[in-house]
Amino acid sequence: EDLEVQNVYAQLLQQVQQLQRMGQAVPPSQLKALFRQEMSRVLVLKQTAVCDEFDIDYDCWEEATWEFLQDDAHPGVLQAVTQLQKFWEHATDEPVTGWRPGQAAQEEEALLTAERVLEVAARYFDAHAQAFAELVQQYQADGRDTTEAATQQALQRDFGAAMSQQDAGEAALEMEDVSMKCFEKSVAAHQNNPVVGRALGMMQMKQQQDIQNAMAMVD
């Protein structure tokens, strides 16, 4: 279930990146809504298929899942739920990581200043570019030609899937003691600041250029 949602996210992310390379901007709120809509659709379809295949009731399945998380006897369930929650929060901006039934909503973090946003964003984008370059090196070590269109599409897909499981950018934010949610909300709060907008735009362009350079580089 998680893998199929990740594939949808990777495909949507690739489409958005193509639009950005063409100079078309996608508002963050619209992007989050799109991710939420498409991933919800895939989840419902997959959940229905699983219930039909194993002849189980969804409510019973959900109840059993939460019961398995009440102790440490089922680490695989905890890992799967946590991974999906983190991925969902990253893609949709809904604060669900660590949530359990009956739990109160998490308190909001203080937003970053414009200067701090740019400082953290530089590390975020650099971390993504570096992670992509490392994936390219793995492809090349396996003898795959990263200048071919099909290979580049596979790179984008695998990169999206990898980042949904362990986001290099999010790890860079954690080193700065900033959550992904706080970072994204802070960027949105300063979106009308022309200095922030220009700087973030340049960072995104640099990241895309670094990615293109990595794929064009042949050992």
Side-chain angles (χ1 to χ4, degrees):
E1 185 172 300
D2 188 27
L3 181 60
E4 293 194 26
V5 175
Q6 290 174 14
N7 287 337
V8 170
Y9 177 76
Q11 292 170 6
L12 291 173
L13 185 61
Q14 183 177 356
Q15 294 173 9
V16 171
Q17 290 173 340
Q18 290 175 345
L19 291 174
Q20 290 175 336
R21 286 195 290 268
M22 296 170 60
Q24 300 183 35
V26 181
S29 58
Q30 181 179 342
L31 189 59
K32 297 294 182 182
L34 176 62
F35 286 153
R36 187 182 302 111
Q37 175 182 344
E38 286 301 305
M39 291 189 299
S40 295
R41 179 184 61 81
V42 172
L43 277 175
V44 171
L45 290 175
K46 184 61 177 178
Q47 288 166 356
T48 301
V50 170
C51 289
D52 290 344
E53 180 180 354
F54 294 97
D55 192 23
I56 58 175
D57 178 75
Y58 177 76
D59 291 336
C60 293
W61 179 16
E62 182 180 29
E63 182 179 354
T65 300
W66 296 127
E67 288 182 357
F68 286 150
L69 296 177
Q70 293 180 2
D71 53 47
D72 299 328
H74 307 281
V77 177
L78 175 60
Q79 181 181 5
V81 170
T82 301
Q83 180 175 314
L84 182 56
Q85 286 182 332
K86 290 182 66 175
F87 171 68
W88 187 271
E89 181 169 332
H90 170 66
T92 68
D93 204 26
E94 294 180 1
V96 298
T97 302
W99 182 86
R100 299 292 183 270
Q103 182 176 326
Q106 300 177 4
E107 295 185 3
E108 294 288 333
E109 298 178 74
L111 296 180
L112 306 177
T113 64
E115 293 77 9
R116 181 61 172 156
V117 165
L118 297 181
E119 179 183 344
V120 173
R123 290 168 172 75
Y124 175 81
F125 287 117
D126 285 347
H128 269 191
Q130 178 61 34
F132 193 91
E134 292 174 357
L135 181 59
V136 169
Q137 292 175 358
Q138 293 179 13
Y139 266 54
Q140 293 175 342
D142 292 337
R144 304 177 69 174
D145 185 355
T146 55
T147 64
E148 293 183 350
T151 303
Q152 292 182 359
Q153 291 179 357
L155 269 167
Q156 294 282 0
R157 183 181 61 252
D158 289 349
F159 181 69
M163 289 303 97
S164 69
Q165 298 182 41
Q166 187 174 7
D167 192 311
E170 185 174 358
L173 295 182
E174 291 177 355
M175 294 292 292
E176 296 292 325
D177 197 25
V178 176
S179 71
M180 177 62 74
K181 179 185 175 183
C182 177
F183 174 60
E184 292 177 338
K185 285 187 173 296
S186 297
V187 170
H190 296 290
Q191 62 182 350
N192 294 326
N193 184 323
V195 175
V196 173
R198 284 195 299 270
L200 290 177
M202 292 179 64
M203 290 180 195
Q204 289 177 323
M205 290 177 61
K206 179 180 181 297
Q207 181 193 46
Q208 290 299 320
Q209 188 60 53
D210 289 343
I211 288 174
Q212 292 298 322
N213 291 341
M215 287 191 294
M217 187 177 300
V218 179
D219 291 341

